[in-house]
Amino acid sequence: SRENYSLYPSSIKIVHRMSSKKENDTRLSRKKLFSPSAERNKVPIWDVISKILPSVAQNTGRGGEASFVDEKAEQQLRVLEIAAGCGVHTNHFMTEITNAQGDEQKAVPMNVKWFPTDPEESSRESINQWIQENPNEKVQEYTEPSRSLTLGEDGVMEGNSFGDDLFQLMVCINMIHISPWTSTVGLMRFANEKLIVGGALYCYGPYKIGGTAVESNLNFDQSLKSRDPSWGLRNLEEVVKLAEENGLRLERKIEMPANNLSLIFQKL
């Protein structure tokens, strides 16, 4: 009871509080998920995104000369991450962005606001935990709490549609092949709605080209379809056509490790 607690010696009170905090920290840590594949590909993906950020900043007039101390929201470069997963990527990218502050050799816009989303509650909790545990307070300050977002054929099927908010960059890593085709349709429609002119959509993952791929990717395709017939590697030509139908032009295709591709689409 509170009365009995008030009689504890102060040293016991401190131990009790520390014990409670440790139990709470352990409980929170259990929400933190890990992804070996995300750990492997976070660096090469960041190498690409770090070059996209200055480009979209220049194209859209955002974030180029601002700093983290600039509180003008209209100067922020806003990034929307779709299907962010467990948070390994979100945490790594924002760590790199904040660490680049003041480094003239790293041409990364400073005033970046990152908006991670995922349809799974466990993933959203994990994202938040990764950010919470990051020792850099700027990462926590400039990363929004993760939000629920599920894409369908008509765009946002469930979750936060972000109202009238617009973004300079959208990032979608390893979603297109691990979701129904309708999610990709929704992604392109949502990008058309939420990207400002000159903004970019970045997609990463494995694709078929001309209906085929290397043997390892074909095996991966069959494995995905055995788990869910609506999943599987998409034909790059169909993804590009869908993007074009939604006002997006493929600006660059970059070969990545493990037979993956980085695709950079620009909003026209």
Side-chain angles (χ1 to χ4, degrees), residues 16-26:
H16 175 76
R17 289 170 185 168
M18 290 178 66
S19 176
S20 297
K21 184 181 186 300
K22 185 176 180 180
E23 289 173 5
N24 187 52
D25 288 347
T26 301

Side-chain angles (χ1 to χ4, degrees), residues 174-208:
N174 282 336
M175 183 205 81
I176 289 178
H177 59 288
I178 313 181
S179 61
W181 174 247
T182 51
S183 297
T184 303
V185 174
L187 170 67
M188 297 305 176
R189 290 187 175 180
F190 195 53
N192 181 47
E193 293 173 6
K194 291 300 176 183
L195 284 174
I196 69 173
V197 174
L201 167 65
Y202 170 79
C203 297
Y204 169 93
Y207 296 87
K208 293 179 181 178

Side-chain angles (χ1 to χ4, degrees), residues 2 4 31 76 86 107 143 150 152 173 183 188 211 216 231 239 246:
R2 177 176 295 184
N4 289 336
K31 295 180 180 179
Q76 285 183 333
C86 69
T143 307
T150 303
I173 298 170
S183 297
M188 297 305 176
S216 61
W231 294 3
V239 174
N246 287 276

Side-chain angles (χ1 to χ4, degrees), residues 75-262:
Q75 292 299 319
Q76 285 183 333
L77 194 157
R78 296 158 60 85
V79 181
L80 178 62
E81 185 178 10
I82 304 294
C86 69
V88 169
H89 289 138
T90 308
N91 185 64
H92 180 71
F93 301 158
M94 285 306 292
T95 298
E96 290 293 327
I97 289 170
T98 54
N99 286 345
Q101 186 177 14
D103 190 338
E104 296 180 356
Q105 295 185 1
K106 295 182 179 180
V108 177
M110 292 294 97
N111 200 24
V112 175
K113 191 76 167 180
W114 199 279
F115 296 76
T117 70
D118 198 273
E120 298 292 334
E121 182 179 4
S122 59
S123 293
R124 296 193 300 272
E125 290 179 344
S126 179
I127 294 166
N128 293 339
Q129 190 61 31
W130 273 97
I131 299 304
Q132 261 186 275
E133 292 182 8
N134 194 303
N136 190 330
E137 293 181 358
K138 293 297 183 183
V139 170
Q140 299 165 19
E141 183 178 353
Y142 286 89
T143 307
E144 284 286 303
S146 60
R147 306 189 193 185
S148 174
L149 183 68
T150 303
L151 296 173
E153 190 170 5
D154 296 323
V156 175
M157 189 167 66
E158 293 179 1
N160 196 313
S161 64
F162 291 91
D164 295 328
D165 291 348
L166 296 176
F167 299 87
Q168 286 71 43
L169 174 63
M170 289 177 61
V171 173
C172 183
I173 298 170
N174 282 336
M175 183 205 81
I176 289 178
H177 59 288
I178 313 181
S179 61
W181 174 247
T182 51
S183 297
T184 303
V185 174
L187 170 67
M188 297 305 176
R189 290 187 175 180
F190 195 53
N192 181 47
E193 293 173 6
K194 291 300 176 183
L195 284 174
I196 69 173
V197 174
L201 167 65
Y202 170 79
C203 297
Y204 169 93
Y207 296 87
K208 293 179 181 178
I209 298 178
T212 190
V214 296
E215 184 177 359
S216 61
N217 277 0
L218 290 177
N219 292 336
F220 182 42
D221 180 47
Q222 290 302 313
S223 174
L224 290 172
K225 289 177 178 176
S226 69
R227 293 164 59 189
D228 189 322
S230 69
W231 294 3
L233 273 64
R234 310 301 176 188
N235 286 307
L236 178 61
E237 297 86 350
E238 294 177 5
V239 174
V240 171
K241 180 182 178 182
L242 180 61
E244 291 173 346
E245 292 171 352
N246 287 276
L248 302 164
R249 178 178 62 205
L250 180 62
E251 288 292 312
R252 194 172 178 195
K253 173 171 66 73
I254 304 169
E255 293 188 3
M256 303 291 286
N259 299 308
N260 291 289
L261 294 176
S262 282

